Amino acid sequence: MKRTILLVAGLILSFTAHLFAENPNIGTSGAQFLKIPVGPRATAMGGAFVSNADDASALFWNPAGIAQVKNNELVASYTSLWAGINLSHAGLVVSTENLGSFGFSMSMLTMGDMDVTTELQPEGTGQKFDAQDLMLGVSYARHLTEDFAVGVTMKLVNQRIWNETASGIAFD
């Protein structure tokens, strides 16, 4: 009797274990390039920068941080990643005395041409394709009190790979 119960329990577990191992959302999230950190100071701090954001790189980390910018600031970075993938980022903060701070940002992830392959032509079809991810952002921030600021960013996000494109709007 004990063996039968163990055998039945083992069979049930073996048939249901794969149900928990599968993730139906694999490959369904987009704009993953927006998770790649920008700015040398923030990156050196391992991304622990949200509360410290007080320069033009705050456009990426925390839009309320641009309220700390006293003069106009520009940040630009270029990162060469692996496999020919490159990330370019630029941000401009324009501060005004009475209205608050305005920011404009752009991030672009690009890659070089790759060969189109198929199951029947694994060495390539002779065609090439590339991919590009683009984010354009507009931000606004202002102090509500001396120690408290609020900010918002509206982002236009566009992703393209070969003949497919996707676009959307995001907010921070």
Side-chain angles (χ1 to χ4, degrees), residues 83-112:
I85 299 171
N86 301 303
L87 177 69
S88 302
H89 177 80
L92 172 68
V93 176
V94 178
S95 294
T96 64
E97 254 183 66
N98 300 325
L99 295 177
S101 297
F102 298 89
F104 307 94
S105 56
M106 183 271 314
S107 287
M108 184 169 54
L109 185 79
T110 59
M111 59 172 272

Side-chain angles (χ1 to χ4, degrees), residues 13-149:
L13 284 174
S14 68
F15 287 118
T16 59
H18 76 281
L19 294 176
F20 298 108
E22 293 180 16
N23 184 348
N25 296 322
I26 290 176
T28 60
S29 62
Q32 294 295 305
F33 76 104
L34 295 175
K35 293 182 178 180
I36 301 172
V38 299
R41 191 171 91 177
T43 303
M45 293 176 63
F49 194 67
V50 173
S51 65
N52 294 350
D54 61 356
D55 59 9
S57 69
L59 292 166
F60 176 84
W61 295 99
N62 180 2
I66 66 172
Q68 303 290 337
V69 176
K70 300 301 178 210
N71 299 313
N72 300 339
E73 267 189 38
L74 175 69
V75 63
S77 66
Y78 174 82
T79 306
S80 180
L81 302 167
W82 60 95
I85 299 171
N86 301 303
L87 177 69
S88 302
H89 177 80
L92 172 68
V93 176
V94 178
S95 294
T96 64
E97 254 183 66
N98 300 325
L99 295 177
S101 297
F102 298 89
F104 307 94
S105 56
M106 183 271 314
S107 287
M108 184 169 54
L109 185 79
T110 59
M111 59 172 272
D113 289 344
M114 292 182 63
D115 292 325
V116 174
T117 60
T118 66
E119 184 178 336
L120 299 176
Q121 295 174 306
E123 299 300 320
T125 64
Q127 293 179 304
K128 302 266 188 196
F129 77 96
D130 67 342
Q132 175 182 315
D133 296 338
L134 176 67
M135 182 280 300
L136 299 173
V138 177
S139 304
Y140 173 73
R142 71 174 296 142
H143 280 281
L144 296 181
T145 68
E146 187 176 315
D147 296 323
F148 186 74

